[in-house]
Amino acid sequence: MEPRDLSMHSVYRAGRGIEEVARDLGLDPDELIKLSSNENSLGPSPKAVEAIRDVAEAVHYYPKSSHTDLIAKLAETWDVSDEQIWLANGGDGALDYLSRALLEPGQAVLVPDPDFTYHGMSAKYHHGTVETFELSEADGFHQSPERVLEAYDGHRIVYLTSPHNPTGSEVTIAEVERIAEATDEQTLVVVDEAYEPFSERESKIGLVRERDDVALLHSFSKAYGLAGIRLGYAIVPEEWGDAYARVNTPFAASEIACRAGLAALDDEAFLEETIETARWGRAYIREHLDAETWESGGNFVLAKVGNAEAVADACQREGVIVRDCTSFGLPEHIRITTGTREETPRAVETINEVLADVRG
Ligand SMILES: *Cc1c(COP(=O)(O)O)cnc(C)c1O
């Protein structure tokens, strides 16, 4: 027997793991600086670590109250109702819930190109189709309403990401509002705010409170340092928030994830240090890297280096793992996650040496 025809589905290509690279190169993992997956360079929130240890003895229970408590806490934080918080196994899981709740077979979603690939992948898993609007290097990869609306043709979901992965570009509240106004009544505009905590701009949450056609995506993987836990959520309009009960996988987030998330939300000192370090790091990279870079609202910087695969490979041999953006459709660009205050200058120095070598 065989599974159904999966040839139209692609394999998610994550940045390479530190053990994997260390093994390949015969290096000690401690000598490597991993700046390829936009993870938190400071590690996890210490309060979350403590909560994870404490919950170990209680994991034979289903996560009932912790799930409810985390939803309530997030609803309070964002000043929305509990039904509007769609908790999930990572932001990726929340994308699946949006697909399940919105897409009829054959309906299309519109995503930027380049883009975080799971927006489109999730739509395809749910029997939808994917179309793109092109971002242009010349205008800083801006997701402008003109570009979006030129490509728009009654799509069921329009995805924007702000700050955008992998380019770092951002959109304003007014721009999102213009897109939501100009698209059909049955089109949902989703703003992926996985990197919103790092931005100096305001969240688009006001539009979710005011309208029935704008939703946000948030994640604990980046700013809270909990990528390994898999915890994220969508914030959806009040009018149809109750659809969650019909589409979610039972106990959408684990007891460990919910307890860690609750603790991380209380760890303001950690969040503040994370944001400060990332903002410092992205400014440092832009100032000192010997390559063209783009302004970024996230914990990473896009740089144009020529042959991205060759540069990323050479950096890796020197112990610095960066993301070759070829799989994003940017074969001349790498994406560098901000590291700690020690790692970032060391990484920039290494990348600069590699660039000098490559350029001869
Ligand atoms: C990391 C990321 C997410 C969510 O990741 P999870 O680990 O599944 O929470 C969503 N969107 C973008 C653009 C990302 O980079």
Side-chain angles (χ1 to χ4, degrees):
M1 65 152 291
E2 301 174 346
R4 65 190 169 94
D5 178 12
L6 297 172
S7 54
M8 64 170 306
H9 298 286
S10 37
V11 177
Y12 181 81
R13 301 238 338 239
R16 299 188 71 211
I18 206 156
E19 275 89 12
E20 191 188 346
V21 173
R23 214 181 306 123
D24 281 3
L25 298 175
L27 294 174
D28 179 350
D30 294 339
E31 291 167 33
L32 293 173
I33 305 179
K34 181 170 190 264
L35 305 178
S36 54
S37 297
N38 297 343
E39 291 149 335
N40 193 319
S41 62
L42 302 180
S45 144
K47 287 197 177 177
V49 173
E50 202 182 311
I52 291 167
R53 287 211 176 94
D54 290 348
V55 80
E57 306 291 330
V59 292
H60 56 305
Y61 293 118
Y62 281 111
K64 193 92 206 317
S65 61
S66 61
H67 204 274
T68 309
D69 291 352
L70 180 55
I71 285 178
K73 195 172 179 94
L74 288 167
E76 193 189 318
T77 304
W78 291 105
D79 191 19
V80 295
S81 71
D82 290 10
E83 289 70 33
Q84 291 176 263
I85 303 290
W86 288 20
L87 205 59
N89 184 48
D92 296 339
L95 290 172
D96 284 339
Y97 294 161
L98 291 173
S99 299
R100 285 188 202 174
L102 283 143
L103 294 179
E104 296 284 1
Q107 284 186 324
V109 306
L110 186 64
V111 302
D113 178 19
D115 191 33
F116 175 68
T117 49
Y118 202 70
H119 298 144
M121 285 173 69
S122 175
K124 286 195 219 165
Y125 290 142
H126 295 85
H127 307 284
T129 60
V130 183
E131 285 161 20
T132 59
F133 61 97
E134 306 296 314
L135 304 187
S136 156
E137 186 179 315
D139 66 2
F141 302 100
H142 184 205
Q143 299 159 92
S144 70
E146 292 72 20
R147 274 179 194 282
V148 174
L149 295 173
E150 214 174 81
Y152 174 76
D153 183 22
H155 296 84
R156 182 66 158 135
I157 305 177
V158 174
Y159 279 106
L160 305 169
T161 303
S162 188
H164 179 259
N165 178 12
T167 70
S169 75
E170 301 189 71
V171 291
T172 65
I173 294 172
E175 286 168 335
V176 177
E177 190 166 28
R178 258 185 69 198
I179 294 166
E181 279 293 314
T183 48
D184 295 350
E185 201 186 319
Q186 293 302 325
T187 293
L188 177 68
V189 178
V190 177
V191 186
D192 184 334
E193 294 195 333
Y195 300 98
E196 181 272 336
F198 301 108
S199 170
E200 257 133 344
R201 292 180 195 264
E202 264 181 275
S203 163
K204 314 303 183 264
I205 185 66
L207 295 176
V208 183
R209 295 196 202 106
E210 290 159 18
R211 309 181 59 98
D212 69 356
D213 59 354
V214 174
L216 305 182
L217 188 78
H218 273 263
S219 171
F220 282 84
S221 295
K222 315 289 165 46
Y224 294 99
L226 297 176
I229 280 287
R230 312 307 300 127
L231 185 64
Y233 57 99
I235 312 176
V236 308
E238 182 141 46
E239 281 77 356
W240 47 273
D242 60 359
Y244 180 63
R246 293 174 190 273
V247 299
N248 79 354
T249 305
F251 306 106
S254 77
E255 177 73 13
I256 299 170
C258 292
R259 292 285 165 214
L262 280 162
L265 288 174
D266 280 335
D267 202 342
E268 278 166 35
F270 177 78
L271 182 64
E272 213 169 282
E273 197 190 344
T274 292
I275 293 169
E276 258 178 41
T277 309
R279 288 180 179 173
W280 170 84
R282 71 195 182 201
Y284 185 96
I285 294 170
R286 293 207 68 204
E287 194 180 331
H288 297 279
L289 193 78
D290 299 333
E292 186 180 359
T293 57
W294 281 265
E295 189 171 337
S296 172
N299 63 340
F300 57 87
V301 171
L302 185 78
K304 190 171 187 176
V305 295
N307 184 338
E309 193 185 348
V311 170
D313 280 353
C315 288
Q316 193 167 290
R317 284 193 298 273
E318 300 302 320
V320 175
I321 315 173
V322 297
R323 178 68 191 252
D324 164 13
C325 290
T326 303
S327 70
F328 284 103
L330 297 173
E332 295 188 76
H333 299 71
I334 58 170
R335 189 192 64 197
I336 307 160
T337 305
T338 57
T340 62
R341 285 175 195 262
E342 295 76 44
E343 288 169 339
T344 302
R346 271 176 55 207
V348 167
E349 195 184 334
T350 302
I351 301 166
N352 282 344
E353 284 165 13
V354 165
L355 288 174
D357 260 9
V358 168
R359 288 168 183 152

